[in-house]
Amino acid sequence: MSTQRTSWGSRLGFILTAAGSAVGLGCVWKFPYVALNNGGGAFLLIFLAITGTLGYVLLQMEMALGRHAGAGVYGTFRQLGGRYWAAAGAMAVLAAALVLSFYSVVGGWTIAYGVKAALGQLTNLPPGAFEPLFANFISATGAPLLYHSVFIALSLYIVAGGVQQGIEKVSKYLMPLLLMLVLVLIGRVLTLPGAVEGLRQFLQVDFSRVTGQTIIAALGLSFFSLSLGLGVMTTYGSYMGEDTAVPGSALWVVLITIASSVLGGLLVLPAVFAFDINPGAGPGLTFISMPQVFAHLPAGSFFACLFFALLLIAALTSSVSLLEVVASFCMDQFGWSRGRATIVPAVLILLAGIPASLSFGVLARWRIGGKTVFDALDFLTSNLLLPLGGMASALLASWVAWRALQPHLARNGRPPSAATRLLAGVVGPLLIGVILWQGLVS
Ligand code: TRP
């Protein structure tokens, strides 16, 4: 009886950890503006289709690889595939550092808005003031960098101090609280005049607006939201208990991520149209629209503060997973202590994030392929490195390590289906290849 309870506890612990990595700023910050910029309903359908099929299968592959090898992504790739695969593993570690460099910029915005809310600076503003408030904040030099540093310091503290167990326990109670708050807020948002237009934009399917770019964006967002392609799930899979099954856990993570993303869209997009915010506001969309929702609530400052605090925790459980990938690489390869293996990369990531943060202000003129540093980093990682990393894991799992992975991919003692292997080994990589090719050509 007691052993059963323990096993359930560890299974739940794993699912929460993996879902904690998946659910983060992706759902509330990235998903709404990417969905809106790519035409809404049709994008949502493509996102759901990719996440539910390819995403689900790749998530299983990444987890199974780590569970089998018992190592981080680089160690796993080298152990199972040898030197050339190891190079792909090293790329994944580097890409994880790149993602964290701009992720922590947005993490910093979350802290800043929590502080503004606590100081009562978000209420009592005229309707037109929220857009300039955000624009002035991110285009400044000092404050965003300060908050960016605080966000990295928090991630560092959690990973280096080994207090991850603690944050899992915290998020076990706080993430359901965030969910409840989001549901309440959606209720408020949907009763605002003009909100229906946002719903229509989000849900109405219009395939005539679908282009190669739409599909590549859906693929990139799906990988970003599921934390795929950078070895996060392989690293976490290496901590998986004997009694925790891969397919079931992966399915939970997919369902939780899909639900959170759709809720993120339902929260932010109706507000955008109710408050007549420029739909092309891009990365600022959530930060411009949400404070206006709180201004329409009793005790708005309190709810704003609570919302940004909970969003910060969701962001931290994601940033921690990225930093863990880099730290476990440094520990395994250089034999560094956990402290050193976390601090050195964290400082480098902090520095690497500076141009991304300043690209909203003094460095706005710096362009890479026509994009600001922030947009270029986001584009390079989400739309290129993540799909390539996922493709590498899928090929390694299905062609090199397939036999060894069988026990890890079994569901109730039954081996993985032929469809799973076909998707992971042939259709998935081909699809990724074609989508990337199309995207790069156009
Ligand atoms: N999935 C997280 C989010 O949506 C971000 C994230 C964490 C991530 N780990 C990742 C993205 C690995 C890509 C790869 O907020």
Side-chain angles (χ1 to χ4, degrees):
M1 185 67 199
S2 67
T3 50
Q4 223 170 11
R5 202 176 296 155
T6 327
S7 74
W8 187 74
S10 74
R11 180 178 131 88
L12 182 68
F14 176 75
I15 294 175
L16 284 176
T17 314
S21 167
V23 175
L25 295 169
C27 305
V28 177
W29 160 70
K30 198 166 201 236
F31 182 84
Y33 82 82
V34 176
L36 189 59
N37 289 353
N38 286 283
F43 176 88
L44 179 62
L45 274 187
I46 299 170
F47 172 84
L48 293 178
I50 293 179
T51 308
T53 56
L54 189 59
Y56 174 47
V57 167
L58 291 194
L59 194 56
Q60 294 180 61
M61 297 303 138
E62 292 202 4
M63 286 177 176
L65 284 170
R67 190 184 200 242
H68 174 64
V73 60
Y74 178 82
T76 296
F77 272 50
R78 204 185 45 178
Q79 182 184 330
L80 298 177
R83 212 158 21 116
Y84 293 111
W85 288 95
M91 281 293 304
V93 173
L94 192 66
L98 280 183
V99 170
L100 188 52
S101 76
F102 72 87
Y103 197 81
S104 51
V105 171
V106 184
W109 299 350
T110 311
I111 303 177
Y113 265 69
V115 171
K116 283 185 203 300
L119 296 176
Q121 292 172 358
L122 293 183
T123 34
N124 301 326
L125 286 176
F130 292 89
E131 226 163 322
L133 179 79
F134 179 75
N136 288 338
F137 167 64
I138 58 166
S139 62
T141 301
L145 283 181
L146 178 73
Y147 287 112
H148 163 72
S149 313
V150 172
F151 186 83
I152 298 227
L154 288 173
S155 312
L156 169 72
Y157 170 72
I158 297 165
V159 176
V163 283
Q164 242 141 330
Q165 301 295 326
I167 197 165
E168 291 316 320
K169 288 205 188 76
V170 172
S171 53
K172 190 157 129 188
Y173 299 101
L174 294 186
M175 288 305 101
L177 188 62
L178 177 60
L179 175 70
M180 278 188 314
L181 180 61
V182 165
L183 289 175
V184 171
L185 291 175
I186 290 178
R188 172 71 260 229
V189 165
L190 288 180
T191 50
L192 290 168
V196 178
E197 175 59 17
L199 268 190
R200 203 181 63 76
Q201 293 276 342
F202 182 39
L203 300 174
Q204 196 176 62
V205 179
D206 176 4
F207 279 109
S208 70
R209 292 167 73 180
V210 173
T211 64
Q213 288 304 323
T214 318
I215 300 175
I216 214 178
L219 182 78
L221 188 59
S222 172
F223 279 52
F224 188 93
S225 298
L226 288 174
S227 298
L228 284 176
L230 303 182
V232 165
M233 294 302 177
T234 298
T235 307
Y236 276 8
S238 71
Y239 307 133
M240 227 170 156
E242 289 273 303
D243 44 13
T244 307
V246 168
S249 312
L251 186 60
W252 273 111
V253 174
V254 167
L255 293 177
I256 292 171
T257 306
I258 287 181
S260 309
S261 300
V262 171
L263 289 176
L266 288 177
L267 174 64
V268 173
L269 297 180
V272 167
F273 287 87
F275 298 123
D276 213 11
I277 295 164
N278 169 17
L285 209 53
T286 296
F287 291 88
I288 297 167
S289 61
M290 287 313 297
Q292 310 204 44
V293 176
F294 299 118
H296 281 72
L297 276 180
S301 290
F302 168 75
F303 281 110
C305 197
L306 183 65
F307 174 78
F308 286 111
L310 294 174
L311 187 58
L312 171 64
I313 303 224
L316 281 172
T317 57
S318 302
S319 65
V320 156
S321 72
L322 289 160
L323 192 53
E324 178 69 30
V325 165
V326 189
S328 72
F329 171 79
C330 295
M331 286 189 284
D332 293 348
Q333 293 317 305
F334 309 140
W336 290 356
S337 68
R338 173 165 278 270
R340 186 167 179 200
T342 320
I343 290 175
V344 174
V347 170
L348 293 176
I349 290 166
L350 172 72
L351 296 176
I354 292 176
S357 178
L358 295 182
S359 74
F360 295 99
V362 290
L363 296 185
R365 278 162 201 274
W366 272 23
R367 297 285 162 148
I368 305 168
K371 293 184 192 310
T372 64
V373 177
F374 183 95
D375 288 343
L377 268 176
D378 183 16
F379 184 85
L380 171 75
T381 51
S382 297
N383 294 358
L384 195 65
L385 298 181
L386 299 189
L388 282 179
M391 189 181 196
S393 288
L395 291 173
L396 180 66
S398 52
W399 293 108
V400 182
W402 186 251
R403 225 171 247 279
L405 296 188
Q406 293 299 300
H408 303 286
L409 293 169
R411 188 195 299 264
N412 302 326
R414 275 181 292 121
S417 65
T420 300
R421 183 167 194 193
L422 194 67
L423 201 53
V426 184
V427 180
L430 267 180
L431 212 64
I432 295 174
V434 169
I435 295 173
L436 286 185
W437 182 249
Q438 287 288 327
L440 291 184
V441 168
S442 69

